[in-house]
Amino acid sequence: MSVLVLGVQQSKRHGSLGRSCIRYRCGLTNTIQDVLNQRPGWVEVKDDGEWDFNWCDVGWLRENFDHSYMEEHVRISHFRNHYELTRKNLMVKNLKRYRKTLEREAGRLEAARCDFFPCTFVLPSEYHIFVEEFKRSPGSTWIMKPVARSQGKGIFLFRKLKDIIDWRKDGSRSEEQKDEAQVESYVAQRYIENPYLIYIPLKAWLYRDGFARFSNTRFSLSSIDDQYVHLTNVAVQKTAPDYDPEKGCKWQMQQLRQYLTAKHGFETVQTLFKEIDNIFIRSLISVQKTIINDKHCFELYGYDILLDQDLKPWLIEVNASPSLTASSQEDYELKYGLLEDTLHIVDMEGRLTGKEKRVGGFDLMWNDGPVYTDVGLEALGSSCLVENTLLGQCLTLPKWRSYSKWPIVHSMSLFLCLVELFLYCKSFFECHTVKQ
């Protein structure tokens, strides 16, 4: 799932100067490079040339943002302190603070709506607090993740405190690293032991939306050391001995929604997707006063959400740089469409009026409050307002964005299901969710 956020004032039309040529810089070599290359009127700038638009990586941002002068019209693909939401430890810190604020100002019932992230501690700084919580539920499973790494690197599961002690005493670290101040920070998170499992995936038509990622190996808590069971990252799954690149380990969001509706009913799935919408909004609001709001910036966030067996969505993490490298032709076409529509919303050409509720595959879901759309009921001579979110629902696509059949998974196993969605946020926080 992805969310796109733009800096303040970007919602206003800024292209009235009639720019016929957009100079862009791109620090990545994946799908976004193709999208930019093929955009009419856009010209790539090499080396130190002046640019109007920069799709940079976070490393470039960290080294150059504070030393760069940007004119009014310039746009860059990250907020200065995006890590307030995208580093695992800071995301939890901000969510916890926001939940406490809600409880103090609006009551426990409202604060309970933030009950969508697992019990989490930052190690080593919160080690002793973590130990107290760990001892309250002996035998439960926890997952350790380095706060600043991605693609499943450094992640492991454990059930015994001695596994943490072994980690802290890891002999592979240098003498300097053995100093507690030098130990890499991790988050210890209560593992969701009852994830939603899908049996014999259905066959349907591909459609552009978010992903449902699966493990390629039957789910079981008896093998917590097996990364192929517990990590759905493509970078991990594609190294499995029985991985089939033709079938892959992904569904599009439309297929997941169709499957869930057939199995659990329309009303249940409607409630589930409303809860996912709640995760988007609440997590963004939790950092609204913390993120440095710069009109030059926008962000394409990648949300990882895990469904448990009760169809409760859990926010696992938010990625500042969701993978734009395609694992299949269908994956490439989906990401190409996503990125092209992202550039439509950034609107360097100044084509938008600022009143749009839908641009390409994006729907405006938050504009200083929930966004609603008028659904006409002509036959009844009336209309009604509904939330402007269509995650995983069918929309008519141009022929060039049509897709072939869904990949069929022939295995009879039960697979761990983790949902990855993309959100684009505008003028922090006018949020757009990719609607498919």
Side-chain angles (χ1 to χ4, degrees):
M1 302 176 215
S2 52
V3 176
L4 187 58
V5 183
L6 271 72
V8 65
Q9 297 181 355
Q10 285 193 44
S11 58
K12 298 180 180 179
R13 186 171 182 176
H14 61 267
S16 56
L17 298 178
R19 293 185 174 275
S20 58
C21 177
I22 307 296
R23 301 164 299 176
Y24 75 86
R25 183 184 185 280
C26 183
L28 306 178
T29 57
N30 49 37
T31 312
I32 184 60
Q33 184 73 60
D34 293 342
V35 175
L36 293 168
N37 282 339
Q38 297 178 36
R39 197 165 180 86
W42 288 49
V43 178
E44 184 173 12
V45 173
K46 297 293 186 180
D47 301 326
D48 297 327
E50 293 187 1
W51 44 266
D52 306 304
F53 180 94
N54 188 351
W55 195 291
C56 66
D57 57 40
V58 295
W60 186 96
L61 183 86
R62 183 171 54 251
E63 295 175 6
N64 297 278
F65 189 92
D66 291 337
H67 312 292
S68 301
Y69 168 76
M70 288 180 277
E71 296 183 8
E72 180 77 15
H73 71 282
V74 167
R75 298 293 177 264
I76 190 168
S77 64
H78 291 288
F79 287 97
R80 175 63 184 84
N81 62 336
H82 63 87
Y83 45 77
E84 292 287 349
L85 186 60
T86 60
R87 279 180 69 107
K88 300 173 182 67
N89 56 335
L90 296 182
M91 179 192 80
V92 171
K93 171 188 172 183
N94 285 305
L95 284 169
K96 286 180 177 179
R97 182 180 61 222
Y98 174 60
R99 184 166 60 186
K100 288 182 179 178
T101 301
L102 275 181
E103 185 171 354
R104 183 176 63 252
E105 297 179 355
R108 291 185 178 180
L109 186 61
E110 184 67 15
R113 298 194 65 186
C114 288
D115 183 29
F116 52 71
F117 58 98
C119 180
T120 306
F121 299 91
V122 179
L123 303 185
S125 62
E126 296 180 334
Y127 178 77
H128 297 294
I129 304 175
F130 159 71
V131 170
E132 292 179 9
E133 179 63 27
F134 183 91
K135 290 180 177 179
R136 291 192 186 102
S137 52
S140 60
T141 305
W142 293 75
I143 185 168
M144 286 277 284
K145 306 176 188 178
V147 300
R149 288 199 260 174
S150 60
Q151 296 184 329
K153 296 173 183 175
I155 297 177
F156 62 93
L157 278 68
F158 66 96
R159 291 199 183 103
K160 299 178 181 178
L161 281 178
K162 75 176 186 65
D163 297 329
I164 299 296
I165 295 173
D166 292 342
W167 163 73
R168 296 183 72 190
K169 295 179 179 178
D170 185 356
S172 64
R173 294 200 299 269
S174 65
E175 289 301 320
E176 289 184 354
Q177 290 174 321
K178 287 181 180 179
D179 183 343
E180 185 170 344
Q182 298 293 323
V183 174
E184 181 179 16
S185 292
Y186 272 63
V187 292
Q189 197 170 68
R190 189 183 297 278
Y191 189 66
I192 308 301
E193 296 184 343
N194 60 337
Y196 186 85
L197 305 177
I198 288 185
Y199 183 71
I200 311 180
L202 302 175
K203 180 172 68 175
W205 291 91
L206 281 172
Y207 195 76
R208 128 181 105 91
D209 56 357
F211 305 110
R213 296 202 315 257
F214 300 91
S215 60
N216 195 50
T217 307
R218 178 185 288 273
F219 179 80
S220 171
L221 286 175
S222 63
S223 53
I224 65 173
D225 295 328
D226 190 341
Q227 62 178 352
Y228 299 127
V229 173
H230 303 287
L231 302 182
T232 62
N233 308 72
V234 174
V236 173
Q237 291 297 321
K238 69 181 182 181
T239 64
D242 57 347
Y243 177 76
D244 187 339
E246 293 297 320
K247 299 172 184 175
C249 295
K250 286 184 179 180
W251 282 1
Q252 304 304 116
M253 193 55 54
Q254 181 186 343
Q255 181 180 14
L256 178 65
R257 185 159 188 157
Q258 289 173 343
Y259 176 90
L260 294 174
T261 301
K263 187 174 180 64
H264 302 282
F266 177 80
E267 294 297 332
T268 298
V269 176
Q270 282 285 89
T271 299
L272 165 63
F273 278 79
K274 284 182 180 295
E275 291 175 354
I276 292 175
D277 288 343
N278 175 64
I279 290 176
F280 298 150
I281 298 303
R282 299 284 175 162
S283 62
L284 291 171
I285 292 177
S286 74
V287 296
Q288 184 173 10
K289 297 180 180 179
T290 306
I291 292 286
I292 298 172
N293 196 342
D294 191 302
K295 62 187 176 183
H296 299 100
C297 303
F298 68 91
E299 193 93 44
L300 182 66
Y301 290 121
Y303 273 66
D304 285 356
I305 295 175
L306 188 143
L307 305 183
D308 69 19
Q309 65 184 13
D310 299 318
L311 291 186
K312 177 179 174 62
W314 295 90
L315 176 60
I316 302 303
E317 65 182 29
V318 182
N319 299 298
S321 301
S323 174
L324 302 178
T325 301
S327 57
S328 66
Q329 180 60 30
E330 289 84 358
D331 195 28
Y332 174 83
E333 292 173 356
L334 184 150
K335 289 177 177 176
Y336 189 100
L338 165 70
L339 292 167
E340 184 175 53
D341 290 338
T342 296
L343 296 184
H344 287 330
I345 293 178
V346 176
D347 193 28
M348 295 295 293
E349 301 88 347
R351 296 168 179 164
L352 303 182
T353 66
K355 299 180 180 179
E356 291 81 3
K357 291 186 178 180
R358 180 174 299 164
V359 176
F362 283 103
D363 289 305
L364 181 66
M365 67 180 297
W366 186 265
N367 186 9
D368 198 28
V371 177
Y372 298 93
T373 188
D374 189 358
V375 178
L377 302 174
E378 291 83 358
L380 300 177
S382 62
S383 64
C384 66
L385 292 176
V386 298
E387 292 180 348
N388 193 48
T389 57
L390 298 167
L391 181 61
Q393 298 185 32
C394 257
L395 293 177
T396 302
L397 285 175
K399 290 183 179 179
W400 68 273
R401 286 198 190 169
S402 299
Y403 291 93
S404 57
K405 292 183 178 180
W406 293 94
I408 302 173
V409 181
H410 296 289
S411 171
M412 300 294 284
S413 297
L414 295 168
F415 297 101
L416 175 69
C417 177
L418 184 140
V419 178
E420 180 182 355
L421 298 175
F422 304 97
L423 278 82
Y424 172 106
C425 300
K426 189 173 182 179
S427 73
F428 224 84
F429 293 82
E430 286 180 14
C431 307
H432 300 257
T433 304
V434 178
K435 300 318 166 185
Q436 338 317 331

